[in-house]
Amino acid sequence: DAMVIQNPRYQVTQFGKPVTLSCSQTLNHNVMYWYQQKSSQAPKLLFHYYDKDFNNEADTPDNFQSRRPNTSFCFLDIRSPGLGDAAMYLCATSRDSYSGGYTFGSGTRLTVV
Amino acid sequence: GQQVMQIPQYQHVQEGEDFTTYCNSSTTLSNIQWYKQRPGGHPVFLIQLVKSGEVKKQKRLTFQFGEAKKNSSLHITATQTTDVGTYFCAGSRAGNNRKLIWGLGTSLAVNP
């Protein structure tokens, strides 16, 4: 089945140690998103790619970076994780910019120790 | 800035009772989407409403989009324990589906 896959499902990292989260999709969707979701909150958009065009949200910290080497894969790099970065990180895709629901991956729960 | 308010924040119901969650936007929306997130899970797309006054049904779920395209509701008839989760509405402005504005969600608990 076509889907969005995130690895790993759980990630523990040390304070200040760089960490990379990965996302892959078999839907061939143009747009890929990275969201941060903390407990009992709505997902918060960090950035998205439309094809190779990168779009950063104004309030996304510089500590967060992203790469999309091809249509299928997208990575979230956290350069120096702080305790406040502990959260669920959700990758999502959508077919285009105008309509249609998002397909989310199962998420990566990041713990910072 | 543009906001989508969603109420109630929490709702406890007895199994078999009905449930409704409401979303209101400060500005006109191009479309509104609804997602369900089970505890420990990820958001799952339920439906998208595009037209003014639109009503769509999915089994026991009824979705409405207001005439002014500023408000929306999700109504569940005769809730079941499988309906437990958080329901989010998310709206987008014209021509920009890449920027969803999310409501804070309504967390539904169903007592068997």
Side-chain angles (χ1 to χ4, degrees):
Chain A
D1 289 338
M3 54 176 54
V4 179
I5 301 169
Q6 289 188 245
N7 285 304
R9 186 75 175 89
Y10 299 93
Q11 176 75 57
V12 180
T13 191
Q14 291 181 337
F15 183 94
K17 184 176 180 180
V19 65
T20 295
L21 310 181
S22 72
C23 177
S24 65
Q25 57 133 339
T26 59
L27 297 160
N28 204 33
H29 282 174
N30 294 103
V31 194
M32 294 188 77
Y33 310 82
W34 279 105
Y35 278 87
Q36 180 193 64
Q37 187 178 32
K38 295 188 175 180
S39 183
S40 301
Q41 295 184 16
K44 178 182 183 295
L45 182 64
L46 296 174
F47 24 61
H48 74 274
Y49 278 92
Y50 180 76
D51 291 331
K52 293 186 177 182
D53 182 28
F54 177 70
N55 297 269
N56 198 27
E57 292 301 297
D59 59 353
T60 298
D62 292 339
N63 197 26
F64 291 85
Q65 303 287 321
S66 185
R67 296 169 282 136
R68 189 180 186 185
N70 54 53
T71 301
S72 301
F73 287 88
C74 197
F75 299 96
L76 170 61
D77 301 308
I78 308 177
R79 293 193 294 188
S80 181
L83 297 179
D85 297 327
M88 174 74 85
Y89 289 88
L90 294 162
C91 174
T93 71
S94 67
R95 188 174 58 201
D96 58 38
S97 296
Y98 302 105
S99 65
Y102 292 9
T103 302
F104 282 84
S106 298
T108 294
R109 182 164 296 284
L110 179 69
T111 301
V112 182
V113 297
Chain B
Q2 193 169 7
Q3 295 182 19
V4 173
M5 308 299 293
Q6 189 172 354
I7 57 169
Q9 188 175 0
Y10 302 99
Q11 183 81 60
H12 286 80
V13 298
Q14 204 65 30
E15 189 173 21
E17 293 181 339
D18 292 356
F19 159 76
T20 306
T21 173
Y22 301 89
C23 280
N24 284 287
S25 169
S26 56
T27 59
T28 302
L29 299 170
S30 170
N31 64 73
I32 195 156
Q33 302 176 10
W34 285 91
Y35 293 81
K36 176 183 179 181
Q37 186 172 20
R38 287 201 164 99
H42 57 277
V44 174
F45 174 69
L46 295 176
I47 207 160
Q48 177 175 272
L49 304 172
V50 178
K51 299 176 182 177
S52 170
E54 189 170 16
V55 178
K56 287 188 175 180
K57 291 189 175 183
Q58 289 180 350
K59 296 183 180 178
R60 294 178 295 103
L61 277 60
T62 302
F63 304 85
Q64 294 189 345
F65 200 11
E67 293 290 340
K69 301 182 75 172
K70 287 187 175 183
N71 57 74
S72 182
S73 65
L74 159 58
H75 179 82
I76 302 178
T77 303
T79 55
Q80 301 175 359
T81 54
T82 54
D83 296 326
V84 165
T86 300
Y87 293 85
F88 291 100
C89 62
S92 66
R93 296 180 297 179
N96 192 5
N97 193 50
R98 291 184 272 162
K99 178 80 173 181
L100 287 183
I101 304 154
W102 291 74
L104 294 180
T106 295
S107 181
L108 173 64
V110 180
N111 297 322

